């Protein structure tokens, strides 16, 4: 989001048209020729804003473009102005009006400016020429002048844009330079430059050695974690070389090492002693790429040793964490490119993991360590289960409130699903812990979990996971209370400080409810389920908390993903369990605003999906379904779930779906649904019992008609009831149906069903088609849909009564 001032400037920039832009370009041209000061800088900033504020290219005057290019070559031009010129020219790219060339540029800083514009053009030949020039300057080894630091980003950009742009000689040259910068940078601090003041002296103070982050004098080679007051040029190159090391290793050797022979390599991989016998002297005889890998390995080991020191400054402590992560990632890449590093790395990372387990301050490094063992654990015959157990058990429980860690953790799980292999069970059983990340950080993680859920759920965890998803807002409250009750002080509360809920905190400490909270905050799947309804009322004061509301908004999407995965493998037994769970939980949800309505919409559709997948569950769960539709605890007029159950009964309670279906079952369901329809349509509306929605009445009427077509003794009863419904719908004053349009819908449906029942054999064919007919689902075709069949029958009955059997000849 931009501030009001920034929005105003962007609006003004977008409103500038051609003539006004030409006048402004003329002013910029005059300033570039006369004044290379603050006024020109201000004008260039405005010009950059103008051309970058719109999605289409702005055309600048040729004179202005030429002067912008010329300014890049002026040795006396301030660096700020040159950077602004580069920004404007890059924003114009790709453009045919540029005439820049780097063929004769010797200055590395100037070359980086020109190359920045040329590389933005996207022309492969131009990219190759920039790379050639950069390496010529790199080969020159200029003792004086601008630093080579400007060249490394150019070389990296060239290699990434056109991987084949660098020749083998170029690759070897840069690898040799990186070896020198990484391993042989000076260990003495840089010289302090005298300001030349009155008290300055001609004698310069001898620079001291660089130090470690804990203040000790460095006794080993310089790294990015070495500290000092001033740094030499090669020390700056050391820092920059490490920053691009991993990317360069990937680009320069993407397919692994080219040494040695197969027999030698297998022997090298199989013997730790043979690996450890390699000496520094021998490494100097290796090809440049292998030398770089060897020095990179030494550098990473040194960084790991430095990261275990206690830093004196917070900035150094943060740098330690970042370098530790990068060092492990580089080691992982080295082992993938050359397995001879594997055995040397294993012992180092095992010791590092042991140290990190006791210090959650560097928890970010645990993910790349786990990544390393996922990649190489099997090849090294190492049992890594303890590493995964610690990762999935302790980290989410204690650090669920870290948004960056949450995102990285879930990304790690997503990206490595194919690698978990036999350890997939640990991942699946840890879903309650992973849900803590989701409950606390639901907006950014919802889409990640939609992808991850299919890998977490199986037949053994499906029921428990569905309960957990429905209780996710409750978990958010429990995590909030857990943080509030934590003795660890925090500079800034992680919870909503404006919301005070002392009664909820008391419930957290109450021994009567502690088992429920412990179950809610469990780390792994328990294989059991707990009824959390007692907590719903206790935690109601926190239902309006913003974080809880956000979490509740994510649940419907997650439920859709869950059922999409479950229906791929659910058998009849699991489908029955899930259907019962949907019935049970439909009136046992945490009362977050709008949560129940949105969840009911999903549960009702998914109940129908389960019935379609396993139609026999309607007969198998006949007792439970009867209790559900006959219950008065949740009126049908307010529940999508109950409407879906009624529809499923009408659709699947038939011998054609399950031969165990009996006339007695049909009659029992008919009586319950008949009483229910009478209750919701003929009771006088009130605050406790609102008017009946028309879709509820029509679903009930249709289901009763379907049941009657299968037990034809019921046809007179349902015909009488439908006639009463039609009469009731035509009398709005006494109707409990909502409006005139709704009354018309009920009246029309009652008339259609009555007409259909006048021909019982046709009614049975239309309302209970055989499996052969229903499997292709012909009735979903608009040309053969049920409404069309009903209308056809209505016309036959009403307008062509003379053609009915006994009064004419009809071909049936």
């Amino acid at each position: 989001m931009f501030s009001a001032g920034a929005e105003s400037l962007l609006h003004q920039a977008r409103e500038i048209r051609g003539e006004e832009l030409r006048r402004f370009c003329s002013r910029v041209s005059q300033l570039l020729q006369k004044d290379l000061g603050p006024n020109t800088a201000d004008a260039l900033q405005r010009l950059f804003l103008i051309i970058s504020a719109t999605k289409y290219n702005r055309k600048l005057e040729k004179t202005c473009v030429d002067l912008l290019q010329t300014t890049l070559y002026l040795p006396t031009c301030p660096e700020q102005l040159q950077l602004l010129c580069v920004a404007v020219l890059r924003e114009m790219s790709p453009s045919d009006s540029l005439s820049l060339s780097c063929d004769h540029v010797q200055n590395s800083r100037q070359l980086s400016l020109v190359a920045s514009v040329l590389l933005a053009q996207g022309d492969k030949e131009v990219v190759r020429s920039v790379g050639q020039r950069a390496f010529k300057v790199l080969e020159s080894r200029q003792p004086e002048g601008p630093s080579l630091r400007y060249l490394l980003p150019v070389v990296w950009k060239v290699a990434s844009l056109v991987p084949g742009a660098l020749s083998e000689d170029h690759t070897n040259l840069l690898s040799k330079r990186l070896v020198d910068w990484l391993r042989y940078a000076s260990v003495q601090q840089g010289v302090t430059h005298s300001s030349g003041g009155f008290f300055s002296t001609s004698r310069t103070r001898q620079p001291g050695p660089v130090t470690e982050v804990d203040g000790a004098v460095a006794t080993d080679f310089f790294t990015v974690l070495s500290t000092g007051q001033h740094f030499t040029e090669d020390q700056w190159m050391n820092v920059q070389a490490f920053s691009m090391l991993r990317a360069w290793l990937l680009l320069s050797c993407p397919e692994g090492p080219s040494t040695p022979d197969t027999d030698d390599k297998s022997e090298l991989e199989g013997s730790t002693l043979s690996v450890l016998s390699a000496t520094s002297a021998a490494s100097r005889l290796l090809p440049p790429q292998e030398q770089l890998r060897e020095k990179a390995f030494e550098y990473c080991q040194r960084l790991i040793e430095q990261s275990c020191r206690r830093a004196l400054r917070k900035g150094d402590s943060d740098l330690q964490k970042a370098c530790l992560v990068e060092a492990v990632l580089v080691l992982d890449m080295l082992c993938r490119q050359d397995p001879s590093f594997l055995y040397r790395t294993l012992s180092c990372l095992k010791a590092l993991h042991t140290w990190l387990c006791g210090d959650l301050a560097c928890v970010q490094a645990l993910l790349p360590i786990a990544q390393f063992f996922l990649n190489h654990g099997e090849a090294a015959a190492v049992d890594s289960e303890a590493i995964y157990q610690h990762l999935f058990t302790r980290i989410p429980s204690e650090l669920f409130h870290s948004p960056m860690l949450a995102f990285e953790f879930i990304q790690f799980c997503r990206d490595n699903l194919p690698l978990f292999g036999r350890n997939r069970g640990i991942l699946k059983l840890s879903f309650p812990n992973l849900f803590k990340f989701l409950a606390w950080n639901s907006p950014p993680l919802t889409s990640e979990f939609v992808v991850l859920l299919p890998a977490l759920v199986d037949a053994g965890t499906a029921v428990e996971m569905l309960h957990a998803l429905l209780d996710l807002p409750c978990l958010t409250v429990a995590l909030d209370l857990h943080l509030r009750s934590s003795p660890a002080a925090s500079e800034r509360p992680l919870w909503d400080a404006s919301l005070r809920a002392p009664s909820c905190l008391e419930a957290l400490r109450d021994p009567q409810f502690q088992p429920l909270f412990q179950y809610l905050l469990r780390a792994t799947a328990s294989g059991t389920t707990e009824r959390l309804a007692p907590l719903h009322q206790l935690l109601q004061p926190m239902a309006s908390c913003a974080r809880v509301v956000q979490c509740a908004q994510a649940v419907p999407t997650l439920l859709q993903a869950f059922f999409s995965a479950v229906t791929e493998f659910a058998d009849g037994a699991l489908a029955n369990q899930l259907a019962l769970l949907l019935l049970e939980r439909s009136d046992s949800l945490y009362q977050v605003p709008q949560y129940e309505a949105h969840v009911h919409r999903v549960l009702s559709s998914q109940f129908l999906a389960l019935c379609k997948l396993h139609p026999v569950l309607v007969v198998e769960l006949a007792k439970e379904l009867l209790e559900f539709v006959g219950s008065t605890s949740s009126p049908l007029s307010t529940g999508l779930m109950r409407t879906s159950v009624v529809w499923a009964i009408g659709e699947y309670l038939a011998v054609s779906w399950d031969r165990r279906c009996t006339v007695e079952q049909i009659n029992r369901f008919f009586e319950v649904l008949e009483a229910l329809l009478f209750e919701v349509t003929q009771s006088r509306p009130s605050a406790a019992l609102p008017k009946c929605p028309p879709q509820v009445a029509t679903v009930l009427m249709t289901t009763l008609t379907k049941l009657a077509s299968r037990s034809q003794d019921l046809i007179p009863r349902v015909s009488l009831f439908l006639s009463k419904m039609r009469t009731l719908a035509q009398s709005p004053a006494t109707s409990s149906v909502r409006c005139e349009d709704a009354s018309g819908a009920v009246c029309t449906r009652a008339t259609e069903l009555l007409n259909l029942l006048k021909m019982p054999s046709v009614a049975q064919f239309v309302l209970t088609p055989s499996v052969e007919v229903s499997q292709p689902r012909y009735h979903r075709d608009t040309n053969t849909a049920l409404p069309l069949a009903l209308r056809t029958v209505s016309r036959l009955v009403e307008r062509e009564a003379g053609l009915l059997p006994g009064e004419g000849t009809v071909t049936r």
Side-chain angles (χ1 to χ4, degrees):
M1 294 293 291
F2 293 106
S3 65
E7 287 283 2
S8 176
L9 287 173
L10 285 171
H11 179 72
Q12 293 175 23
R14 294 188 184 109
E15 292 299 315
I16 291 179
R17 294 293 178 258
E19 184 59 35
E20 189 176 357
L21 180 59
R22 280 193 291 273
R23 289 198 301 269
F24 188 71
C25 283
S26 299
R27 179 168 174 264
V28 172
S29 299
Q30 293 174 3
L31 288 170
L32 287 172
Q33 290 174 310
K34 298 178 181 179
D35 176 25
L36 297 179
N39 292 334
T40 306
D42 181 65
L44 288 173
Q45 287 175 341
R46 292 183 59 191
L47 180 61
F48 174 74
L49 180 63
I50 290 169
I51 64 174
S52 63
T54 58
K55 61 183 179 182
Y56 55 88
N57 290 334
R58 297 271 201 175
K59 189 170 180 61
L60 304 184
E61 286 189 337
K62 185 177 185 305
T63 303
C64 182
V65 174
D66 291 342
L67 285 169
L68 289 171
Q69 296 177 89
T70 303
T71 306
L72 297 184
Y73 296 103
L74 295 178
T76 58
C77 180
E79 185 176 3
Q80 180 194 13
L81 291 184
Q82 290 184 321
L83 291 174
L84 286 170
C85 290
V86 167
V88 173
L89 293 171
R90 281 176 57 87
E91 195 64 32
M92 291 173 54
S93 300
S95 173
D96 297 331
S97 59
L98 298 182
S99 58
L100 282 174
S101 173
C102 62
D103 292 343
H104 303 290
V105 178
Q106 295 293 336
N107 185 292
S108 61
R109 186 178 73 83
Q110 193 177 81
L111 177 59
S112 70
L113 295 173
V114 175
S116 178
V117 179
L118 293 175
L119 294 178
Q121 291 290 97
D123 186 293
K124 288 188 176 182
E125 291 305 317
V126 173
V127 172
R128 292 178 187 276
S129 67
V130 170
Q132 296 288 338
R133 190 64 205 167
F135 272 95
K136 282 186 179 180
V137 176
L138 188 64
E139 289 172 343
S140 65
R141 293 181 175 268
Q142 300 170 344
E144 302 293 338
S147 165
L148 291 177
R149 274 183 282 164
Y150 297 104
L151 288 183
L152 283 187
V154 175
V155 172
W156 155 241
K157 190 67 175 177
V158 167
S160 60
L161 287 175
V162 184
L166 304 183
S167 66
E168 184 178 355
D169 291 340
H170 290 155
T171 302
N172 290 338
L173 172 64
L174 185 57
S175 295
K176 290 177 182 178
R177 288 297 188 92
L178 289 174
V179 166
D180 292 339
W181 291 325
L182 286 171
R183 187 62 179 82
Y184 303 112
S186 172
V187 292
Q188 297 293 317
Q189 296 187 41
V191 177
T192 305
H193 297 287
S194 174
S195 62
F198 179 78
F199 294 103
S200 64
T201 175
S202 59
R203 291 186 302 171
T204 58
R205 189 174 176 181
Q206 191 68 21
V210 294
T211 58
E212 304 288 3
V213 291
D214 59 358
V217 175
T219 57
D220 208 336
F221 60 89
F222 181 91
T223 72
V224 66
L225 285 178
S226 300
T227 62
Q229 295 296 321
H230 302 279
F231 295 105
T232 61
E233 187 58 37
D234 62 347
Q235 289 169 351
W236 283 116
M237 295 305 297
N238 177 285
V239 173
Q240 196 170 36
F242 177 67
S243 70
M244 67 173 286
L245 176 60
R246 181 158 57 101
W248 178 251
L249 286 172
L250 182 62
L251 275 175
S252 61
C253 190
E255 298 181 358
S258 58
T259 62
D261 292 338
T262 305
D263 293 339
D264 295 338
K265 182 176 176 181
S266 62
E267 183 181 352
L268 192 61
E269 291 176 8
S271 171
T272 304
L273 293 176
S274 64
V275 172
L276 294 177
S277 65
T279 62
S280 177
S283 69
R284 297 194 196 99
L285 303 177
L286 296 172
Q289 286 297 313
E290 295 181 40
Q291 285 187 45
L292 178 59
R293 284 197 288 266
E294 188 66 37
K295 298 308 176 186
F297 178 81
E298 295 176 12
Y299 195 99
C300 291
Q301 283 195 312
R302 168 98 166 105
L303 281 180
I304 290 173
E305 182 271 324
Q306 288 179 298
S307 298
C308 295
R309 296 175 179 265
R310 186 173 296 278
L312 300 179
R313 296 179 299 181
K314 185 180 184 303
D316 289 339
S317 177
D318 294 338
L319 184 60
Q320 277 180 306
K321 299 171 188 175
C323 289
L324 192 56
V325 170
E326 185 67 15
V328 176
L329 291 174
V330 171
L331 288 174
D332 183 24
M333 178 167 291
L334 289 174
C335 291
R336 279 186 280 140
Q337 291 184 347
D338 187 348
S340 67
F341 289 104
L342 181 56
Y343 294 96
R344 285 188 281 174
T345 306
L346 279 174
S347 58
C348 171
L349 291 190
K350 282 183 178 178
L352 176 61
H353 181 266
T354 302
W355 177 74
L356 289 175
C357 286
D359 184 10
L360 289 180
C362 296
V363 68
Q364 288 88 349
L366 288 174
L367 288 176
I369 290 177
Q371 180 74 66
F372 177 90
F373 282 98
L374 276 175
N375 291 337
H376 307 289
E378 186 175 349
V382 175
D383 185 4
S384 310
E385 185 173 347
I387 293 174
Y388 307 139
Q389 286 282 11
H390 174 268
L391 185 70
F392 286 103
T393 303
R394 185 180 176 191
I395 305 306
S397 293
E398 298 187 25
L399 297 171
F400 60 86
H401 49 77
S402 170
M404 184 62 72
L405 177 64
F407 185 78
E408 291 178 354
F409 201 105
I410 301 306
Q411 280 283 79
F412 166 80
C413 294
R414 270 194 59 183
D415 296 342
N416 291 287
L417 286 175
L419 296 178
F420 274 104
R422 62 187 181 87
N423 293 302
R424 180 73 68 91
I426 298 176
L427 179 67
K428 290 182 176 181
L429 292 176
S430 300
F431 79 82
N433 244 7
L434 297 179
F435 278 11
K436 292 174 185 176
F437 284 133
L438 176 62
W440 196 259
N441 308 277
S442 53
L445 291 185
T446 300
S447 60
E448 302 298 318
F449 266 90
V450 167
V451 179
L452 187 60
L453 271 177
L456 297 179
V457 65
D458 59 20
T461 60
V463 172
E464 186 177 352
M465 186 179 294
L466 182 52
H467 276 291
L469 286 172
L470 293 171
D471 291 324
L472 207 59
C474 235
L475 175 59
T476 306
V477 176
L479 294 173
D480 187 295
L481 295 175
H482 175 71
L483 284 178
R484 290 173 189 255
S485 63
S486 175
S490 175
E491 297 178 5
R492 179 184 175 191
L494 298 168
W495 56 88
D496 185 357
S498 64
L499 185 64
R500 301 182 181 277
S503 61
C504 296
L505 282 171
E506 291 174 7
L508 180 67
R509 302 186 186 101
D510 190 334
Q512 179 183 352
F513 300 108
Q514 278 185 358
L516 294 180
F517 279 106
Q518 290 171 359
Y519 173 78
L520 200 54
L521 295 171
R522 66 196 184 281
T524 58
S526 63
T528 61
T529 57
E530 291 283 347
R531 296 178 180 272
L532 299 179
L535 291 182
H536 293 168
Q537 190 62 36
L538 288 171
L539 302 180
Q540 197 57 41
M542 296 188 68
S544 60
C545 174
R547 193 181 297 277
V548 177
V549 172
Q550 283 183 332
C551 178
Q553 291 170 348
V555 171
T557 302
L558 296 166
L559 288 174
Q560 295 279 13
F562 169 84
F563 279 104
S564 295
V566 168
T567 51
E568 294 294 325
F569 61 80
D571 57 10
L574 180 57
N576 286 2
Q577 284 183 286
L578 294 175
L580 286 175
L581 193 158
L582 297 183
L583 300 179
E584 173 193 343
R585 293 304 305 269
S586 62
D587 60 351
S588 180
L589 296 171
Y590 187 42
Q591 296 299 307
V592 182
Q594 303 298 317
Y595 178 58
E596 190 174 56
H598 293 157
V599 169
H600 276 179
R601 193 171 294 116
V602 178
L603 296 188
S604 60
S605 65
Q606 295 305 326
F607 179 83
L608 294 178
L610 288 173
C611 290
K612 180 181 178 182
L613 188 65
H614 296 283
V616 296
L617 73 79
V618 173
V619 173
E620 293 175 348
L621 302 180
K623 179 182 177 182
E624 291 80 3
L625 294 178
L626 270 172
E627 292 175 356
F628 182 78
V629 297
S631 171
T632 58
S633 61
S634 177
L636 182 64
S637 57
T638 59
L640 284 172
M641 185 65 193
R642 192 157 300 187
T643 307
S644 296
V645 171
V646 171
W647 188 92
I649 290 169
E651 184 76 1
Y652 299 110
L653 188 65
V655 177
S656 58
W657 290 110
D658 191 340
R659 294 193 177 278
R660 294 172 294 177
C661 178
T662 63
V663 174
E664 289 76 14
Q665 281 182 328
I666 293 175
N667 290 341
R668 281 200 300 272
F669 273 102
F670 183 91
E671 290 171 0
V672 171
L673 295 178
E674 184 183 38
L676 187 59
L677 179 59
F678 180 86
E679 176 187 347
V680 300
T681 57
Q682 299 198 18
S683 300
R684 190 172 296 277
S686 63
L689 185 63
K691 287 190 175 184
C692 174
Q695 63 268 28
V696 173
T698 55
V699 167
L700 270 168
M701 290 159 51
T702 304
T703 297
L704 286 172
T705 305
K706 289 179 178 180
L707 295 180
S709 71
R710 298 162 197 166
S711 179
Q712 297 194 3
D713 293 341
L714 300 173
I715 289 180
R717 287 174 62 179
V718 76
S719 296
L720 179 61
F721 204 98
L722 291 172
S723 299
K724 290 181 178 180
M725 285 296 302
R726 182 169 57 182
T727 303
L728 188 66
Q730 292 171 345
S731 305
T734 60
S735 174
S736 66
V737 183
R738 289 184 176 175
C739 62
E740 184 176 346
D741 291 341
S743 298
V746 172
C747 183
T748 301
R749 178 56 60 88
T751 301
E752 291 175 342
L753 294 173
L754 277 170
N755 291 334
L756 189 59
L757 286 174
K758 291 178 181 179
M759 294 183 291
S761 59
V762 175
Q764 187 171 13
F765 173 78
V766 172
L767 298 174
T768 312
S770 63
V771 176
E772 292 78 11
V773 174
S774 62
Q775 284 296 343
R777 314 307 288 173
Y778 291 123
H779 65 279
R780 297 193 186 281
D781 186 346
T782 55
N783 296 319
T784 60
L786 179 60
L788 178 60
L790 291 174
R791 286 195 297 272
T792 303
V793 172
S794 297
R795 293 192 188 99
L796 286 172
V797 171
E798 293 177 353
R799 298 191 302 176
E800 304 293 340
L803 296 179
L804 289 172
E807 301 182 19
T809 57
V810 178
T811 302
R812 297 182 65 179

